[in-house]
Amino acid sequence: NLSMRRLLFPICLSFVLLFGTPAVADQNDPRLDTLFDLLRDSEESFEIQATERLIWSIWMQHRNAEYSRMMQAGSVAMASGQYGQAIGIFSSLIQKEPDFAEAWNKRATVYFLIGDLTLSAEDVDRTLELEPRHFGALSGLGQIELLRGNGDAALEAFEAARAVHPQLPGIEALIRKLEVEVRGRKL
């Protein structure tokens, strides 16, 4: 029953997040397993959107408050177009905490925005080593490979993103288009 799910979902999710295993807050947070199960299995848009937001929120946090502040500062710099400053902040964060996946992902995003696909791809690779379920990095890798003209690699990355996040906005249409272009299949 949809109305019952809408009522119970926030309560159940809050219980898991508040009373589940203590938060580590980064890609190693044990709450992520439950959230990724919800993301993969839900067909309700409100559940999917709430779950995705929670995953991003956890990825952005670090158990060290200074690193969380640096992540926020770098994100603000990136959003305001101060790409050099953002790269500096994320690079400093990576130097201090090389296992913080979202720092690598954010720097990859900035490199992508300034057109440095090589450095962006290198940072995406490191992000995925640390968090193989990072649908944002997988999707970003697909975009990088599209710009490089590597349709097969782009399709593979987008399919991997869909496996983690089946309802990722626009992913299904993009995959269908690439399948036709790359593999010559008509769907």
Side-chain angles (χ1 to χ4, degrees), residues 93-146:
L93 183 52
I94 288 166
Q95 185 175 19
K96 292 174 186 241
E97 182 58 81
D99 291 336
F100 189 10
E102 192 56 26
W104 290 94
N105 183 59
K106 289 289 188 252
R107 192 173 73 175
T109 302
V110 180
Y111 284 142
F112 182 86
L113 291 171
I114 65 172
D116 193 329
L117 300 182
T118 300
L119 290 177
S120 183
E122 289 173 8
D123 281 3
V124 165
D125 288 344
R126 182 64 180 139
T127 302
L128 293 171
E129 286 173 16
L130 295 166
E131 174 53 278
R133 305 171 295 189
H134 201 301
F135 52 84
L138 288 164
S139 182
L141 181 59
Q143 295 296 331
I144 291 166
E145 295 302 343
L146 274 179

Side-chain angles (χ1 to χ4, degrees), residues 29-45:
D29 191 308
R31 297 174 297 174
L32 286 170
D33 292 337
T34 300
L35 291 171
F36 276 108
D37 289 344
L38 282 168
L39 192 63
R40 185 190 63 242
D41 297 338
S42 180
E43 294 183 15
E44 300 297 331
S45 63

Side-chain angles (χ1 to χ4, degrees), residues 8 10 13 50 55 71 74 83 92 111 118 128 130 140 150 162 172 181:
L8 291 178
L13 192 56
I55 290 169
M71 176 62 73
Y83 301 135
S92 178
Y111 284 142
T118 300
L128 293 171
L130 295 166
N150 299 331
R162 178 181 63 187
E172 200 61 44
E181 291 175 10

Side-chain angles (χ1 to χ4, degrees), residues 64-101:
N64 181 318
E66 175 194 352
Y67 299 168
S68 291
R69 285 190 297 274
M70 290 175 74
M71 176 62 73
Q72 289 299 323
S75 297
V76 168
M78 179 174 62
S80 63
Q82 298 171 351
Y83 301 135
Q85 181 180 0
I87 289 170
I89 293 168
F90 294 133
S91 295
S92 178
L93 183 52
I94 288 166
Q95 185 175 19
K96 292 174 186 241
E97 182 58 81
D99 291 336
F100 189 10

